[in-house]
Amino acid sequence: MTHIALYRAWRPQTFQDMVGQQHIIQTLQNAIRENRVSHAYLFNGPRGTGKTTAAKVLAKAVNCERGPATEPCNECDACRGITAGHIMDVVEIDAASNRGIDEIRDIRDKVRYAPSEVRYKVYIIDEVHMLTAEAFNALLKTLEEPPGHVIFILATTEPHKLPATIISRCQRFDFRQVSLAEQSERLIQICREEGIDADEDAISYIARLSEGGMRDAISLLEQVSAFGNSRITLEAAVDVTGGMAAEQFYELAEAVRDRNVAAVLPLVESLTQAGKSADKCMENLIYYFRDLLVLKLAPQGAATERVVDAERFRSMAEAFTPERLFKMIDTLNRYQSDMKHASQPQTLFEVALMKLCTGDAHSAASSSSASAGEAPSAGAAPATGEMQRLRQQVEVLERKLEQLLQNGGAAAGGGQAGDGAQSRAAGNRQPGAGGRGSFGGTGGAGGVRLAAVKLDPYLGVAGSPASGQVRMKWSEVLQRVKEARITVHAWLVDGEPVSVTDDSVLVAFKNTMHRETTEKPAHREIIERVLQDVIGTPLRLATVMLKDWQAAVDRSGGGGGAEDPLELTADAIDTGEAAPQPKWVEEAVKLFGEDLVVVKED
């Protein structure tokens, strides 16, 4: 018997045949008995738990010639026709391949006509979350007020992707994973009826591997029985499914327990030679350490269906502390996430196991170094590598900057009162100003001078559709700039578009330094290129301080904007030269570069 034949032979044909969904079955049967069947249902839950099967059984129950009945007879023409798929009034649609608005419009046009063969028209839309937004909108009105002879049943594994307006118009039923006991009982029944000789531990292993899906459990049972020639053993089940035997788990755990890196690599190589995939081995190893942790913390109530040799398993659990088990599971979980995108998953699996063998010692060394406030040397770098070293350098620098600010910040800024302070606040740093010059500003190292900006043309179009379009797409502009150069994004994110003319966009900034650095030619070129790509037309970048823009808007509202053209330049606030920067600012520039240092005036 083929897999398809076996699955069809054991696919439930009545509510009574279904496994693990008694709460849903009872609700549906009561609704049929009391003639209170809803016009729309939403069945959601994990794969293989009976959503589509329940929908077909419900369609047969309401259309049975001996009903409506709480259980279909499966003998009348209606029941047999729905089971075989011959009844035109019961339509099953796969939304994954029929997800457009045309298919939903076709349904909307046909629901008006009365059923021709049975009592109710039933539309079963499987994987409904795959429909497009337009298709959902087309379905919405029909779903809200369908004719009395129509029932919609929507099935999905991802209900969070459905619009709330669709969910609110349906009766929602949450299908749960089938328990191990219920799965094992059904698998044993299938083996008994099909004449398959199966070991109890093999049945438990198959049930656990299906992760609560009865359909997957039957598929695995068929696969393993074909491999073993109608004889199912635990060893055969492990081999066919690519799992790891209990002995291999024990050897790996023993190597981790003894911190024996030399033993880990040959074990991984032997698993690879045996055809075991690295991601499956990682998954099984997480389960193994999880069971050790459960046995450690809750020995009386620990689940033991994975345990083959209980005494040996218990002795292994005693060799680990709960803290170490927690850390090992966290480490394996992180590497498992990385493994999904890795080109060499076996290497990551090996690295993860070596990390388990040496992780505690490295963690202790890293904690000691962090508490001493010192950056580790190149010869004793922790497992986090260059990033950890840079992080600790930043912490040291922050402490030094704080001390310099407290001890010498006032003296450094004392000579910058009055016009000098205003000059720095406005960002008016002329080329050639003392010391290293300004960083990220309009003069000095950057050599950039802000161009004059006449605000009158922008005030008149601040509320135009073009301005609104740019505001709506600004988040996309920021994302594209970030992809092009993340440092430019760091400056631009401080600004917001306030007005758009035919050839330029005006961006208002809260911070002077961010505005000045954005105006650099190289940065401006990147931003204007992204603006053209996103908006579709060439736009020049113009900048203004947010407070000046708001003042201009207020004056324009009062009538002064039309008579007094407002012009803002880099020298509009102050024409003096920028004062030399304090010592601590120069140290920060030396360490991080001028693009990453921002000075904010209190």
Side-chain angles (χ1 to χ4, degrees):
M1 182 179 291
T2 66
H3 156 62
I4 295 177
L6 179 63
Y7 175 65
R8 286 179 177 171
W10 286 94
R11 185 169 188 172
Q13 300 301 322
T14 64
F15 286 123
Q16 188 177 1
D17 295 336
M18 295 186 63
V19 178
Q21 313 299 339
Q22 285 74 16
H23 60 301
I24 296 175
I25 293 170
Q26 181 178 348
T27 305
L28 294 175
Q29 287 181 327
N30 289 341
I32 296 172
R33 185 182 298 110
E34 299 172 9
N35 196 25
R36 297 172 62 183
V37 177
S38 175
H39 67 283
Y41 293 96
L42 173 61
F43 292 169
N44 69 86
R47 69 180 190 276
T49 52
K51 300 182 294 297
T52 308
T53 297
K56 289 186 176 180
V57 174
L58 177 60
K60 289 192 291 185
V62 297
N63 286 313
C64 182
E65 294 178 2
R66 303 176 186 177
T70 56
E71 291 285 5
C73 68
N74 288 315
E75 296 176 357
C76 64
D77 292 339
C79 288
R80 289 203 304 269
I82 293 173
T83 301
H86 298 158
I87 300 296
M88 301 297 293
D89 296 318
V90 178
V91 182
E92 183 177 358
I93 301 171
D94 178 19
S97 53
N98 300 277
R99 58 194 305 262
I101 190 173
D102 293 335
E103 290 83 355
I104 302 302
R105 281 176 176 166
D106 184 60
I107 295 176
R108 188 181 61 186
D109 293 340
K110 290 179 179 178
V111 294
R112 295 176 294 176
Y113 303 109
S116 57
E117 299 178 78
V118 291
R119 194 176 293 111
Y120 288 95
K121 273 190 173 184
V122 181
Y123 288 93
I124 303 171
I125 306 179
D126 200 10
E127 301 297 336
V128 69
H129 65 272
M130 297 291 289
L131 291 179
T132 63
E134 294 78 8
F136 275 125
N137 291 334
L139 178 65
L140 190 59
K141 189 63 177 178
T142 303
L143 200 64
E144 184 178 21
E145 298 177 358
H149 57 262
V150 175
I151 299 174
F152 283 96
I153 305 176
L154 314 181
T156 179
T157 56
E158 302 183 54
H160 57 278
K161 293 186 178 180
L162 270 64
T165 50
I166 294 289
I167 297 176
S168 65
R169 286 163 172 79
C170 303
Q171 284 191 14
R172 175 171 173 169
F173 291 90
D174 296 323
F175 284 68
R176 64 176 179 84
Q177 290 182 331
V178 183
S179 68
L180 288 173
E182 290 171 319
Q183 280 188 315
S184 298
E185 183 180 353
R186 176 54 63 90
L187 293 178
I188 290 173
Q189 179 187 358
I190 293 174
C191 290
R192 185 167 53 248
E193 296 290 335
E194 296 293 332
I196 300 173
D197 186 13
D199 295 344
E200 186 176 345
D201 52 357
I203 293 295
S204 298
Y205 176 81
I206 292 172
R208 184 173 67 253
L209 210 60
S210 66
E211 297 181 347
M214 198 65 238
R215 181 181 61 214
D216 292 349
I218 297 177
S219 300
L220 289 171
L221 180 69
E222 173 73 9
Q223 184 180 357
V224 177
S225 65
F227 174 79
N229 195 19
S230 296
R231 166 68 179 165
I232 298 178
T233 62
L234 178 60
E235 291 75 14
V238 170
D239 285 341
V240 171
T241 58
M244 295 167 60
E247 183 63 29
Q248 294 170 316
F249 280 124
Y250 184 83
E251 290 175 355
L252 279 176
E254 193 174 39
V256 172
R257 180 196 65 191
D258 300 337
R259 304 187 185 279
N260 188 359
V261 178
V264 166
L265 299 180
L267 286 172
V268 174
E269 186 62 29
S270 66
L271 291 172
T272 304
Q273 294 297 329
K276 313 296 184 185
S277 64
D279 56 340
K280 198 68 177 178
C281 291
M282 180 79 82
E283 178 185 341
N284 290 336
L285 197 58
I286 291 175
Y287 278 129
Y288 184 82
F289 286 125
R290 173 262 181 197
D291 288 343
L292 286 178
L293 182 61
V294 171
L295 186 63
K296 188 83 174 175
L297 298 179
Q300 302 302 324
T304 58
E305 62 270 4
R306 289 181 237 265
V307 179
V308 178
D309 189 340
E311 189 61 34
R312 197 178 189 186
F313 195 81
R314 193 173 295 108
S315 65
M316 180 61 71
E318 292 297 329
F320 293 94
T321 63
E323 291 75 15
R324 189 180 178 195
L325 288 170
F326 277 123
K327 290 179 181 178
M328 290 195 303
I329 293 173
D330 286 341
T331 300
L332 290 175
N333 185 58
R334 287 196 301 271
Y335 278 97
Q336 186 183 35
S337 300
D338 295 340
M339 192 178 287
K340 296 176 182 178
H341 311 288
S343 58
Q344 297 291 336
Q346 180 185 342
T347 302
L348 270 186
F349 184 47
E350 293 172 344
V351 170
L353 289 173
M354 289 188 285
K355 180 71 177 288
L356 296 187
C357 294
T358 61
D360 288 352
H362 280 227
S363 298
S366 178
S367 300
S368 174
S369 176
S371 63
E374 299 173 354
S377 64
T384 49
E386 187 70 12
M387 186 60 67
Q388 179 70 16
R389 185 181 65 81
L390 291 175
R391 187 181 296 113
Q392 292 181 350
Q393 273 191 339
V394 170
E395 291 173 0
V396 174
L397 177 64
E398 286 176 346
R399 284 194 292 271
K400 290 182 179 179
L401 290 177
E402 185 177 355
Q403 292 172 359
L404 286 170
L405 282 172
Q406 292 174 353
N407 299 332
Q416 299 172 4
D419 292 342
Q422 289 182 351
S423 173
R424 284 196 297 114
N428 180 32
R429 296 176 177 84
Q430 302 295 336
R436 286 173 52 89
S438 63
F439 46 94
T442 59
V448 178
R449 189 178 184 84
L450 296 180
V453 178
K454 291 185 177 181
L455 298 183
D456 264 1
Y458 296 101
L459 291 170
V461 295
S464 66
S467 300
Q469 181 187 14
V470 171
R471 291 190 193 98
M472 290 176 60
K473 294 186 176 182
W474 190 246
S475 59
E476 184 180 352
V477 171
L478 291 175
Q479 181 61 32
R480 296 279 288 275
V481 170
K482 184 177 182 180
E483 293 171 359
R485 185 175 298 177
I486 193 169
T487 53
V488 179
H489 171 268
W491 304 114
L492 184 62
V493 75
D494 180 65
E496 59 177 289
V498 292
S499 182
V500 178
T501 64
D502 292 338
D503 63 346
S504 65
V505 54
L506 182 65
V507 179
F509 285 84
K510 305 182 186 71
N511 183 280
T512 306
M513 189 69 66
H514 287 206
R515 179 194 174 200
E516 294 172 353
T517 311
T518 303
E519 284 278 12
K520 287 186 175 182
H523 297 175
R524 173 189 288 274
E525 180 183 354
I526 293 173
I527 296 169
E528 290 178 348
R529 184 173 68 248
V530 170
L531 281 170
Q532 181 174 356
D533 292 342
V534 174
I535 308 303
T537 57
L539 289 175
R540 179 175 53 83
L541 176 68
T543 64
V544 67
M545 293 305 297
L546 182 59
K547 60 183 179 180
D548 297 305
W549 169 256
Q550 291 172 343
V553 171
D554 294 340
R555 284 196 292 271
S556 176
E563 299 176 3
D564 269 331
L566 298 171
E567 183 174 317
L568 182 70
T569 69
D571 300 323
I573 300 176
D574 194 301
T575 57
E577 291 186 347
Q581 299 297 337
K583 181 68 175 178
W584 58 271
V585 174
E586 295 186 4
E587 289 295 328
V589 173
K590 289 178 183 177
L591 277 172
F592 296 105
E594 62 182 32
D595 283 351
L596 295 180
V597 178
V598 179
V599 177
K600 294 184 178 180
E601 295 295 334
D602 291 332

